Each structure stands twice: as C-alpha cells, then as structure tokens.
Amino acid sequence: MARSAISFDPSAEREVDLLIAGAGPAGMAAALVASIEGLDVLLCEKSDRVGGTGATSAGTLWIPGNSQSRAAGFNDSGEQADFYLSALIGEATNRELRNAYLLTGPTAIDYLCARSDVQFLPCGKHPDYRSNMPGAAVSGRAIVPEPFDGRLLGADFWRVRPPISEFMLFGGMMVGKADIAPLIGRFDSFANFIYSAKLFARYVADRLRYQRGTRLMMGNALIGRLYYSLQKRKVPILFDAPIGELIGDQSGVKGARLRMDGRDIAVRTRKGVVLATGGYAHNKTLREAFMPHPVPGHSMSCEGNSGDGVQLGLHLGAATSPERCPSGLWSPVSIVPHRDGSKGLFPHLVLDRAKPGLIAVNSAGRRFVNEAASYHDFVLAMFESNNKTTPSIPAWLICDATFLRKYGLGVIYPGHRNPGKFVDNGYVMSARTTQELARKIAVDPEQLERTIARHNGFAETGVDIDFAKGEIELNRFNGDPDHKPNPCIGPAATPPFYALAVWPADIAVSTGLATDADARVLGSDGTPIPGLYACGNDMASVMGGSYPGPGTTLGPAIVFAYRAAMHARGARA
Ligand SMILES: Cc1cc2nc3c(=O)[nH]c(=O)nc-3n(C[C@H](O)[C@H](O)[C@H](O)COP(=O)(O)OP(=O)(O)OC[C@H]3O[C@@H](n4cnc5c(N)ncnc54)[C@H](O)[C@@H]3O)c2cc1C
C-alpha cells in the first residue's frame, strides 16, 4: 500500500509545472528552489523515505569561494579552484559546466540559506584531496549543514532515512566529528564529562518517543533541513511512487508516468521533468558498462538507486558522459558482521588510515599505496595494484595493539574495552606475531615481516621513501598532530597484531546523463532535450570522474539542482 504525504487521486490525470523524481539531496533541492520560485511542483520518491544516499553521507559540500567561509576569514575564490581543477582534470574538460558550477556555487548556497531552513557552516580547515597541486586549498572550500533538530518534523521524523548503523552509537545516536574527542575522553576532564552526559541525556529522552536520536548531523541534517523546508512550503511528495516512463520524445518531454499502488499514473508537466534518482549503483548492467573491472561487488549507495533516471534518458536517446574514464567515486570498506547474521559496510574515510602505525598491504604482503591518501585515491591504487601487479582486492589494513587502543580500526572505536569480540565475530584477524598474522590472511610471512620492519624504519626518520605518507596537507590533517616526527607514520611493534580486509565500494557514481550548464539533458547530437533535466548522480559528474575534495558530489548536486529549477522557471541562474 503506497503512502503519500498528500491526498492524490490516482484516477485523475495531474498537471504540474515541474515533476522531480527522487527525494535525495539533488531532487529535494530542485523541488525546494522551484517551489520558492513559484512553480507548481511535485516530488515523487521510489521508497517510503526521503534522503537517499545523501541521508547516510557526511553531508559536506565543496563550494569554492562560499560566503560562509569568507565570513569566517578564509580566503578562496572560484578562480583558484578552477586553477586546481585544470591541474587535476585538464584545462578544457567540462569547461562550460565547470564555469557554471564555480560561478553559481556560492549564489545557490546563499539563496537556500536566505530563503529556507537549509543552513550551512564553514568547515574551516579541510584540505583538498590533492592538496599538493596548484590551486588546491587547505581551508575554506568545504561547508557542512548545521545540525538539525529532527523533533521539528514531528510525526514525519521517521521519513528521514537513518544513517548507516555503523555511524551511530547505542543503535541510534548520531555523533559529529566534534563529538568524537569529548566522548572518547569523557573521563579525562570535567568539561568532557558534562558534554558527553548532555549528549547521552538528550539521546535517552529521544528514545522515549522516537526510534532513534533526533539530533541530526552531517547528511542527515542536510536531509532533515531540506525536508522541513519542503514541508513548510507544502510541497507535495509522493512516496512509494517511482518514475517509470517519460511522456514525450527527443523533441520534448511533456511529463512522466509514475507507478503507484500497482497502477500507472500520468503526470503532465508544463516546464519539465527533473531526473534525480541517484544514479545507477545498483544496476548490474550499467556497473559492467561503466565501472572498472573487476567490477566491485560492494556499493554504499542507497538500495533503490538502480539507474532508473539514466535508463529513462538513454531510452529517449540521451548521451552519457564521460565516455572514456571508468566511473565511480570510491571508498575502501570493511565488512561488519551483525548479530542477526546480516552484514554492514564500514567506509574507511578519515578516521584510521592516516594515523601513525597502520599500513596497507596487498596479497603479496607489500605496501602499494600511501595509506593516508583520500579514500578515492586509496581505492584507485587498489585497482592499479590489482590489475597491474598483484591481487590487491581485498587489501589488508595492518596495525598493532597500541594503534588499536589509541586510534581504533573501522568499527572498533578508540579505547574499546573488548576488541576481542571483533576477533571472535570474524571482523578482524589477530595474532601474537606478524608471521602468524600473515599465515592467517594467506600472505607471505617473511615478506610481511620485511614490509613492517621497513615501515618501522620510516617511523624513526619520519620519511616514507616508498609512498611519501604524511607529506601533503591532506595526510597530516587526518594524522595525529601530536605524533612526531611524522603525524602519519608510527611503528607496529606491540602484540597482538591485527589485520582487517578492505574492499572497494562506490559511494557515488560519476558517469551519468550528459547535460548542459543548466542541467538540461543532451541528446546524442549534443543539443538539449526540451523539458528534461538531470542532477545529482543521474547527471554526469562535472569533475570528469575525479575527486578534488570533500563534497565533490553533494556540491554539484545542489548547485545543478538550483540551476535546473531556475532554468525551468525561466530565470537566469
Ligand atoms: C558514507 C558516505 C558518505 C558520503 N559523504 C559525502 C560527502 O560528505 N559529500 C559528498 O559530496 N558526497 C558524499 N557522499 C556521496 C553522496 O551521498 C551522493 O553522491 C549523493 O547522495 C547523491 O545524491 P542524489 O540526490 O543524486 O542521490 P541519492 O541521495 O541516492 O537519492 C536518490 C533518491 O532517488 C530515489 N529513487 C531511485 N529511483 C527512483 C525512481 N525511479 N523514482 C523516484 N525516486 C527514485 C532513491 O530512493 C533516493 O531516495 C557520501 C556517500 C556515502 C555512502
């Protein structure tokens, strides 16, 4: 039985200005801007919740020159970012879209902040992922949503897709980056104790009324804020109502058919249809077609993202882009056994890999990467090592007991009192010696011992002559500033030793429908298909498949959603 947030007569044909398919960050932002601009909007969503992958994300947006960071004293500009992107992906790549993105980014964010409850904070220091390249920034480019009080959504709070369970404490409490240190050190100072006690008290109070904590952070805060703003504007959202077919052809899209309660409902549109169905991550055929081989079997994308938008576009003769580079924005993930027998994925984004005392090895027991590289670059190195030299999927994160206690590893948080439980449930391997550990993970014992000894030598000199770990700002940012001489390199010497398998998983896709700078979908002849827009992961990445910095997909998702809505309204973005 479909549940819709508005009364909807399925037998009547409905006409609106703009139909938006997909209630992730891209679709919700497009619907919000279009509504503010006075359009009659309908948002349809395949599942019974809002948020898509965006709800489970870190919620960071890469918006060069944003005014939130400028107001906080950070100097950055679109020109500097353009310089960086030219170094990273080439001067000419996606020129028209890139100009539009860099020009409109700060405007789109200011627009939302001024006219809705979608509010952002500057991240301050948050280095670009190739922070050694010309034009790269160390601070001022990334923004995050302000935390949001889910209680404001009232009875509709349950509609916000929750974060992955691996990112919540006590089965439902969200924590942000700033909460981690006081929580871990809750008995170290009175201030930390009070801070942690308040968080916990709020969580206990929440659980008396809600299924999880209502203090929403990161991607969940972004979705909570978008949803709240849409509710306030009374924008209708149809749940359990996937878009199934477009009405029209290459000469113009006039609406779409939605599938609701087992029936097809026609929605006619005066201005167009926006495809924001989250990309193709769960479509086997499109994965085979666009992703590097061997095609990774794991995805962090929301389960409903089966390429519906991309396929609807292709059916109408749309082009996809980029044509050559393999698609995917990646993170190494470990596989977490749950008590009920199911399995979760933990993305190793920033918490453990760059800390001193961890190395990553392939099946030969050799390092193949700077472990402190960005999650995307780490996985690209896995593919490269795997396809050119040695099986490296999975790769193994190796550390010792001191590291585990101090920094944690994957879901084993720092200072965990019972790491043995993660050995018992098979999450991590453990052994008294590195040779024994190597045998457990089927790696050459002598080679692993040599690799660790060599790396322990780098810990003394502070210089990783093999992979330059700790040399760029990004590495050091995620390392331990108190560790000397190199915040990212430490010895692995105290038993027991641990090994954790990591696999590549997409957190987003980068191949999608080719569009112009107003997010209008392009036909195979390169001209826009009137009335058809795409944004978010349904739209080909403006970054050409690269990952310049924190917020590489949510930034463009919001900015091109804004541009699509403005174009549909007939305004210049
Ligand atoms: C752990 C993690 C952390 C991340 N952190 C960041 C970050 O900090 N910054 C960043 O830029 N990116 C981040 N990402 C990536 C980011 O979350 C995605 O790129 C982003 O959510 C894509 O937005 P979207 O709106 O295109 O798709 P989604 O957020 O996936 O939403 C798509 C929606 O469309 C719906 N849908 C699917 N098919 C249909 C259909 N036929 N009809 C109607 N609706 C449909 C889905 O149910 C879903 O609700 C992260 C991802 C993960 C997994």
Side-chain angles (χ1 to χ4, degrees), residues 21-27 44-47 49-61 161 164 167 241-243 276-279 300-302 304-306 308 347 349 507-508 535-538 547 550-555 557:
C44 72
E45 163 57 41
K46 189 182 206 174
S47 69
R49 292 174 195 225
V50 292
T53 317
T56 64
S57 75
T60 312
L61 275 67
R161 181 180 290 270
I164 55 172
F167 277 6
I243 187 170
T277 68
M300 295 286 307
S301 184
C302 135
N305 293 352
S306 47
D308 299 354
L349 298 171
I507 58 170
C535 52
N537 282 199
D538 278 356
Y547 212 125
T552 289
T553 62
L554 288 175

Side-chain angles (χ1 to χ4, degrees), residues 313-516:
L314 286 173
H315 194 66
L316 221 64
T320 54
S321 173
E323 277 161 7
R324 269 165 294 138
C325 85
S327 165
L329 299 169
W330 305 99
S331 171
V333 296
S334 50
I335 299 175
V336 189
H338 293 161
R339 274 206 206 112
D340 63 3
S342 65
K343 291 193 162 64
L345 298 177
F346 181 89
H348 293 252
L349 298 171
V350 293
L351 294 178
D352 49 19
R353 289 180 294 106
K355 298 290 189 299
L358 177 145
I359 60 167
V361 298
N362 59 22
S363 67
R366 294 178 191 277
R367 289 177 71 212
F368 60 94
V369 66
N370 171 350
E371 291 84 353
S374 77
Y375 34 91
H376 179 69
D377 287 338
F378 184 98
V379 171
L380 293 188
M382 283 174 85
F383 289 138
E384 167 117 359
S385 168
N386 190 69
N387 295 347
K388 291 202 177 145
T389 57
T390 315
S392 306
I393 301 174
W396 295 92
L397 304 184
I398 309 282
C399 69
D400 70 359
T402 307
F403 181 96
L404 193 77
R405 196 166 43 248
K406 193 161 183 193
Y407 304 115
L409 180 66
V411 287
I412 313 174
Y413 55 78
H416 201 290
R417 298 210 175 148
N418 182 18
K421 133 179 158 185
F422 297 95
V423 178
D424 295 344
N425 75 5
Y427 177 61
V428 70
M429 301 281 193
S430 164
R432 297 298 306 169
T433 66
T434 54
Q435 293 226 357
E436 192 191 333
L437 187 71
R439 276 188 285 276
K440 284 191 175 174
I441 61 174
V443 159
D444 175 15
E446 272 75 37
Q447 181 54 53
L448 183 64
E449 204 167 39
R450 277 196 296 275
T451 301
I452 291 174
R454 184 173 171 82
H455 187 264
N456 286 352
F458 299 158
E460 278 175 31
T461 61
V463 182
D464 170 8
I465 55 175
D466 294 338
F467 293 98
K469 184 162 52 173
E471 275 185 22
I472 68 170
E473 279 285 352
L474 172 73
N475 297 174
R476 292 192 289 273
F477 178 67
N478 291 322
D480 177 353
D482 296 330
H483 184 87
K484 304 279 184 290
N486 185 322
C488 303
I489 313 180
T494 315
F497 296 92
Y498 295 91
L500 177 64
V502 287
W503 307 77
D506 46 282
I507 58 170
V509 294
S510 49
T511 299
L513 297 169
T515 70
D516 72 2

Side-chain angles (χ1 to χ4, degrees), residues 170-393:
F170 315 118
M173 178 170 137
M174 286 203 81
V175 288
K177 215 174 172 185
D179 301 327
I180 295 174
L183 280 171
I184 290 170
R186 60 196 174 281
F187 299 120
D188 295 350
S189 73
F190 185 64
N192 281 359
F193 183 78
I194 294 294
Y195 184 95
S196 306
K198 277 187 182 164
L199 285 186
F200 191 62
R202 159 85 185 261
Y203 177 62
V204 171
D206 280 345
R207 288 306 295 263
L208 297 175
R209 288 186 57 202
Y210 302 97
Q211 280 186 326
R212 63 183 175 101
T214 58
R215 179 175 172 263
L216 307 189
M217 317 289 291
M218 304 186 285
N220 231 246
L222 177 64
I223 297 305
R225 288 184 170 279
L226 282 163
Y227 190 32
Y228 186 53
S229 302
L230 288 168
Q231 274 192 340
K232 273 185 159 176
R233 299 197 59 81
K234 302 197 175 4
V235 173
I237 305 177
L238 296 180
F239 290 99
D240 299 301
I243 187 170
E245 199 185 333
L246 291 169
I247 301 170
D249 54 30
Q250 266 213 18
S251 65
V253 168
K254 304 275 186 277
R257 270 180 249 288
L258 314 182
R259 194 93 192 131
M260 265 182 85
D261 289 337
R263 306 174 54 177
D264 280 342
I265 318 287
V267 177
R268 299 268 161 194
T269 51
R270 291 179 282 265
K271 305 277 187 187
V273 174
V274 180
L275 299 172
T277 68
Y280 68 84
H282 291 284
N283 183 306
K284 201 165 179 291
T285 311
L286 295 178
R287 282 180 87 85
E288 285 285 334
F290 295 140
M291 284 186 168
H293 285 238
V295 176
H298 301 290
S299 174
M300 295 286 307
S301 184
C302 135
E303 65 282 355
N305 293 352
S306 47
D308 299 354
V310 174
Q311 284 179 307
L312 290 176
L314 286 173
H315 194 66
L316 221 64
T320 54
S321 173
E323 277 161 7
R324 269 165 294 138
C325 85
S327 165
L329 299 169
W330 305 99
S331 171
V333 296
S334 50
I335 299 175
V336 189
H338 293 161
R339 274 206 206 112
D340 63 3
S342 65
K343 291 193 162 64
L345 298 177
F346 181 89
H348 293 252
L349 298 171
V350 293
L351 294 178
D352 49 19
R353 289 180 294 106
K355 298 290 189 299
L358 177 145
I359 60 167
V361 298
N362 59 22
S363 67
R366 294 178 191 277
R367 289 177 71 212
F368 60 94
V369 66
N370 171 350
E371 291 84 353
S374 77
Y375 34 91
H376 179 69
D377 287 338
F378 184 98
V379 171
L380 293 188
M382 283 174 85
F383 289 138
E384 167 117 359
S385 168
N386 190 69
N387 295 347
K388 291 202 177 145
T389 57
T390 315
S392 306
I393 301 174

